[in-house]
Amino acid sequence: MPITQNETTEDGRALGSRLAGGGTWTWAYVDASGDREDPQHLAALQRRKAEDALRAAGADAAVIDTVMAELEETPGVPAPVNRYVLVHDGELVLSEVLPGHMHGPESVGHGAVPDLVPLLAHRPLDVPFLVVEVGRGGGGYRAYRLGHADHPDQRDEQEVQGRTDTLHKFQGGGWAHLRWQHHTEELWRQNESEVAAAVQDAVDRLSPRLVIVAGDIRARQLLITELSKTKATAPLLSEVPIDPRASDASEDGVREHVDIALARVVAQRRHDVEDLLRTHDGRGDGEVAAGLGPVVEALQQAQPSIVVLDPAGFEDRTVLALDAAPWIATAPEQALGATVLGHVPAPVGIVRAALLTDAEVVYANTAALPGGAPAAALLRWRTGPEIPGGLTRARRGRR
């Protein structure tokens, strides 16, 4: 059976707490890639465009200066890369470098309801992972997190230098040759055992979801054998058939392997959630809400554990954002005494309400959701009672 627990990210939990306090938000999500013709000129034009948009939205000069200062910083990582800046009541909350291609259009704004859709698209899960490089004389690891840029002053890394004084192969023959070869291979095993101990300590401490191993082929084999002795670590291992330390090696090979491995983790989570949606929807057991109206109704009761949506599937549909519970509505009469903050794009309102009610947000394609709806939810408790015809309230009104 697929994974069922809620996997709300650290960003989501922190933002949910802030969102409940109200206030005014300013945000900017822009492409920060430098692999374009005349990148400095383009970046300057982009900042001017963002500045004009913020001024038109009513942001004061101090807030605009804060956002512009963050956008002016060089990302320091290879393209493609994006920047996301978030300010709450004048305080800088997030200034993030988001590696990878843009997930949706640029978004710049100022108001009571921030656009958090692109941030969660880049960081759909909390996925810490280790990249390990090994050679016959030792090795080391560096820790990363999905959707987070690598900052040198914040790195969790370790290098292990093993014995290298006698690692060369003895070129003689006969019994002496065999004895010396065995001695050399034993040194290799000792070195990789020390690296494995350091990596295992990092696994125990950081709980990564992937351990990617690259390096000399024999050293890789020895290290993987050693790490595989721990049952909890063995399933995390992913071998890259590349030695980054070789003179003719390309860093792109390791990076591509990492990207593919991470994409598989995210895709597996999405597949598991989609599978659960199909299973419960097929049973008609009241554990799924599908369609904008039913999902909003479920969010009003803090019922969803996982909200699944396709931001591109709503076209120009909007919802009402509220300043207190039930946080979201499709019509003013649903506000239940809360103040209406305004009409916002449906994905923005749904993501905000999901974070406020501690629901995990998963992005998927509309075609994979029940009835081709742009939003669906797995519920913490069943809806009911069933109505004639075998349909529950949560399954009505999909659109």
Side-chain angles (χ1 to χ4, degrees):
M1 195 68 176
I3 302 169
T4 59
Q5 70 266 25
N6 180 303
E7 292 195 26
T8 304
T9 64
E10 291 181 13
D11 287 334
R13 288 188 291 271
L15 289 170
S17 298
R18 274 192 173 266
L19 287 168
T24 303
W25 300 82
T26 309
W27 66 93
Y29 171 61
V30 299
D31 185 353
S33 300
D35 59 342
R36 300 167 292 186
E37 186 176 349
D38 199 356
Q40 292 183 342
H41 176 66
L42 286 175
L45 290 176
Q46 190 175 57
R47 289 194 297 271
R48 175 65 62 84
K49 179 181 175 183
E51 182 177 353
D52 291 344
L54 292 178
R55 187 175 292 110
D60 61 39
V63 168
I64 293 175
D65 288 345
T66 298
V67 175
M68 291 304 108
E70 298 304 314
L71 294 183
E72 286 173 2
E73 288 191 5
T74 303
V77 299
V81 62
N82 313 279
R83 292 297 299 260
Y84 186 90
V85 180
L86 184 66
V87 177
H88 181 218
D89 286 341
E91 177 188 354
L92 182 64
V93 175
L94 287 173
S95 180
E96 300 293 340
V97 174
L98 303 175
H101 295 284
M102 294 198 77
H103 293 278
E106 292 188 349
S107 178
V108 179
H110 175 80
V113 182
D115 182 3
L116 303 173
V117 174
L119 178 65
L120 270 63
H122 281 272
R123 297 177 177 174
L125 293 171
D126 281 328
V127 183
F129 63 98
L130 304 180
V131 176
V132 184
E133 295 184 7
V134 289
R136 298 181 181 183
Y141 71 84
R142 183 175 295 169
Y144 301 88
R145 288 177 64 204
L146 171 64
H148 293 254
D150 177 34
H151 298 292
D153 59 340
Q154 300 175 8
R155 286 175 178 167
D156 189 323
E157 59 184 344
Q158 184 174 344
E159 186 76 18
V160 177
Q161 183 63 51
R163 287 182 58 185
T164 60
D165 53 322
T166 55
L167 282 180
H168 59 280
K169 286 291 187 96
F170 184 72
Q171 299 301 316
W175 175 80
H177 169 79
L178 180 62
R179 182 181 61 178
W180 196 256
Q181 179 176 325
H182 287 169
H183 173 68
T184 300
E185 291 180 350
E186 181 58 29
L187 280 182
W188 291 350
R189 279 189 283 271
Q190 290 177 7
N191 290 341
E192 299 320 315
S193 179
E194 292 179 14
V195 175
V199 172
Q200 187 59 55
D201 177 71
V203 169
D204 296 339
R205 181 166 45 85
L206 302 174
S207 299
R209 296 178 65 161
L210 282 172
V211 178
I212 295 165
V213 181
D216 172 87
I217 182 170
R218 181 59 178 150
R220 290 198 314 262
Q221 293 170 347
L222 291 170
L223 180 65
I224 289 173
T225 298
E226 191 69 23
L227 290 172
S228 296
K229 294 177 181 178
T230 303
K231 289 183 179 180
T233 304
L236 307 178
L237 299 173
S238 178
E239 183 178 2
V240 187
I242 295 173
D243 184 358
R245 304 181 181 196
S247 58
D248 59 346
S250 169
E251 292 185 3
D252 291 340
V254 176
R255 187 179 301 116
E256 289 173 2
H257 183 95
V258 170
D259 289 343
I260 292 171
L262 290 172
R264 285 174 178 164
V265 172
V266 175
Q268 184 62 55
R269 177 57 178 170
R270 184 172 61 247
H271 171 79
D272 289 345
V273 170
E274 291 171 353
D275 192 25
L276 278 173
L277 284 171
R278 286 189 294 268
T279 298
H280 289 295
D281 186 63
R283 291 173 181 168
D285 56 16
E287 295 190 20
V288 168
L292 178 58
V295 169
V296 168
E297 183 180 352
L299 284 168
Q300 290 171 338
Q301 303 171 68
Q303 195 175 6
S305 173
I306 302 172
V307 173
V308 191
L309 70 157
D310 179 357
F314 292 92
E315 298 179 346
D316 58 352
R317 302 187 70 178
T318 62
V319 295
L320 297 176
L322 310 178
D323 71 340
W327 303 115
I328 188 172
T330 55
E333 58 268 22
Q334 298 176 353
L336 301 180
T339 299
V340 176
L341 299 174
H343 287 81
V344 298
V348 173
I350 289 174
V351 166
R352 173 179 178 268
L355 296 181
L356 281 162
T357 55
D358 194 31
E360 178 186 351
V361 177
V362 175
Y363 294 150
N365 190 285
T366 295
L369 301 184
L378 288 164
L379 307 180
R380 293 185 170 105
W381 64 88
R382 294 181 179 183
T383 56
E386 291 191 354
I387 62 174
L391 296 178
T392 63
R393 181 177 58 178
R395 298 184 68 199
R396 290 183 291 171
R398 293 181 186 173
R399 57 188 186 275

